[in-house]
Amino acid sequence: MNAATVAALVEDLNHGLQDTTRTQQEFDETVEHLARAGLWVEVSLVPLTAGTHLYTLPDNALVLLHAFYDDRQLDRERVEDMDIMPGWRDHRGAPLAYVQADEADRTFRLYPIPTVASKAYVPLYGEPLGRDYPSYTAAVLTTYRRTSFQPWLGMYAALKVSALEFTRDGKQRDEPFAKACADVASFVAMLLA
Amino acid sequence: MGETVGPLVDELLRRIRDVGAQGTSRALVRRFLAHAEGLVAIAFDAHIETFTLTTTPERCVYANSELTGGTRIGKLLTFRESNRDIPPSPLEAFAAHSLSWFRQLGPRPEAWTALGKDLFVLWPAGSTARTVEVRAVAAPLAPDDTYTGSDGDTTTLDTRWTPQILDLAELFLLLRVRRLDALKAPMERLKALQVVG
């Protein structure tokens, strides 16, 4: 189920009254909502550079759940707690922990600063998380945005998109209908929970 | 065994007061019916399928989509290998066992956990490929925007789920025909059916 198939369902629900120029934006907002609810999780490799402490989450990632370095799960630490340790920002070695300012932060800091660069990923078996896992590499477990998702979520997404669409200013604005779509979407979510 | 779709379409058109399908085509009703059936399958654990996972060496994280038909999965239920049940476990328990769990190898999988709706961990990884049986709640059909079906089709879910499918499809159709004052009744019926299970 992707933006096009959800758009077709939205049209079915709304007799084509929606402003189709906004459907993609409303689909993206719906996907963001579902992703923030933790529906979709992925693991991504993050190649490290020796002497570099700060890394950025993959483009589609939203919330960093866990981080790993080689085979080790890293502890999540708060800056306030790390500051108890004088000079921690300069410590070097194999990473043991990561620090993030807050959930909205798209970067994370490794502690200590890695001193060895990641080996290159060589796809001998096509298994980056298996036999091809490159040494000295970090991996992050994150919630993320998908461009297509499970087909059974299609109607729920169409309801959410419709609720957004008919709340917006424009000639199609229909608040009672938008509210009804939002109520039915919440009801479906309640059934699925 | 499911029910023939045609009479269900008739019933839904009667409920939205359009028995002649003047305002809502039978094809559209069938499409909404298919979406309702998928949601009922997941929401009521009404359709359970068995999938086969062939693991790859040294890897413990898998996507549902790696199972054939796995994009239809809504909820993972059980994992089984060689007539042995593999118990579920919260993710935190892996780290409590060993901070090296992510790349740890073992002779056989000891636990599994779901991550969101599309990923799972089968821990520990093995050094060779293994075959694991996965039981999961899954939507029976993946209707896309071109799906129209036919009145002669049958639903996939057992007939005991027909009331839920009808009520949910009715809800979507009532929205479409803007009978917003009538939405409450099917929602109340569905809530009651959910309690009965």
Side-chain angles (χ1 to χ4, degrees):
Chain A
M1 190 64 59
N2 56 28
T5 46
V6 169
L9 259 182
V10 169
E11 190 166 332
D12 286 343
L13 274 172
N14 305 319
H15 306 266
L17 291 173
Q18 75 279 6
D19 178 350
T20 54
T21 62
R22 292 196 298 222
T23 307
Q24 181 65 49
Q25 181 197 337
E26 288 151 354
F27 176 80
D28 292 344
E29 285 178 41
T30 300
V31 163
E32 178 99 7
H33 165 81
L34 288 168
R36 290 209 176 274
L39 248 62
W40 306 312
V41 177
E42 70 174 355
V43 183
S44 311
L45 296 181
V46 180
L48 305 184
T49 304
T52 299
H53 64 271
L54 200 62
Y55 295 89
T56 304
L57 293 178
D59 285 349
N60 284 329
L62 282 174
V63 178
L64 176 56
L65 302 173
H66 294 288
F68 305 86
Y69 174 70
D70 266 352
D71 64 349
R72 183 188 175 92
Q73 181 171 334
L74 302 179
D75 291 326
R76 183 185 196 118
E77 299 290 354
R78 299 185 313 154
V79 176
E80 297 85 342
D81 295 332
M82 295 299 286
D83 281 342
I84 297 168
M85 195 165 31
W88 70 271
R89 286 183 169 82
D90 299 322
H91 291 180
R92 289 169 183 269
L96 300 169
Y98 70 97
V99 180
Q100 237 190 339
D102 56 57
E103 270 201 356
D105 190 359
R106 297 210 34 84
T107 60
F108 62 100
R109 180 186 184 109
L110 288 177
Y111 170 83
I113 303 167
T115 53
V116 182
S118 299
K119 296 280 188 193
Y121 166 58
V122 181
L124 286 179
Y125 301 96
E127 299 165 7
L129 296 175
R131 285 176 287 185
D132 298 333
Y133 192 99
S135 303
Y136 312 116
T137 298
V140 288
L141 190 65
T142 63
T143 61
Y144 75 112
R145 299 180 199 88
R146 295 180 63 155
T147 51
S148 69
F149 47 79
Q150 293 90 335
W152 51 267
L153 278 169
M155 184 59 88
Y156 173 80
L159 291 164
K160 292 289 285 185
V161 167
S162 300
L164 288 169
E165 166 65 12
F166 288 87
T167 309
R168 296 197 196 285
D169 285 336
K171 63 182 178 185
Q172 85 299 332
R173 185 182 174 98
D174 183 345
E175 286 195 45
F177 180 66
K179 183 179 181 309
C181 287
D183 289 347
V184 173
S186 298
F187 180 74
V188 169
M190 184 273 294
L191 288 178
L192 291 171
Chain B
M1 184 63 189
E3 291 202 33
T4 306
V5 165
L8 301 183
V9 173
D10 292 336
E11 169 64 12
L12 285 166
L13 287 169
R14 186 192 65 75
R15 291 191 190 185
I16 62 168
R17 300 176 189 166
D18 186 10
V19 287
Q22 298 297 308
T24 304
S25 71
R26 297 184 72 86
L28 188 87
V29 175
R30 286 193 295 267
R31 191 180 306 160
F32 279 21
L33 202 54
H35 279 281
E37 187 179 24
L39 285 167
V40 166
I42 306 293
F44 292 85
D45 293 0
H47 185 69
I48 295 169
E49 287 187 38
T50 302
F51 300 85
T52 300
L53 169 71
T54 304
T55 66
T56 52
E58 301 178 27
R59 175 160 71 117
C60 69
V61 180
Y62 296 89
N64 290 355
S65 58
E66 292 178 66
L67 306 168
T68 304
T71 57
R72 295 183 290 105
I73 289 176
K75 191 189 303 174
L76 297 166
L77 295 176
T78 63
F79 283 67
R80 194 170 172 79
E81 189 209 27
S82 305
N83 296 323
R84 179 180 64 93
D85 288 329
I86 303 167
S89 168
L91 186 67
E92 294 70 25
F94 298 144
H97 181 272
S98 165
L99 283 176
S100 299
W101 69 268
F102 187 59
R103 304 278 302 148
Q104 193 171 351
L105 300 182
R108 60 183 198 176
E110 299 292 349
W112 67 274
T113 195
L115 301 171
K117 293 286 186 189
D118 56 1
L119 211 65
F120 60 88
V121 171
L122 188 60
W123 176 86
S127 52
T128 56
R130 308 179 79 95
T131 302
V132 176
E133 185 183 278
V134 182
R135 284 176 73 244
V137 178
L141 179 71
D144 61 18
D145 54 328
T146 59
Y147 173 82
T148 53
S150 90
D151 278 0
D153 292 345
T154 52
T155 56
T156 304
L157 301 192
D158 187 88
T159 53
R160 64 184 283 235
W161 303 108
T162 301
Q164 287 88 335
I165 297 169
L166 283 173
D167 284 339
L168 200 53
E170 179 189 349
L171 194 55
F172 302 147
L173 288 164
L174 286 171
L175 258 183
R176 183 178 187 276
V177 298
R178 300 294 201 273
R179 285 192 45 210
L180 308 184
D181 57 331
L183 296 174
K184 198 172 174 185
M187 285 202 270
E188 291 299 328
R189 289 198 301 271
L190 276 162
K191 271 188 208 163
L193 288 167
Q194 194 182 34
V195 172
V196 173

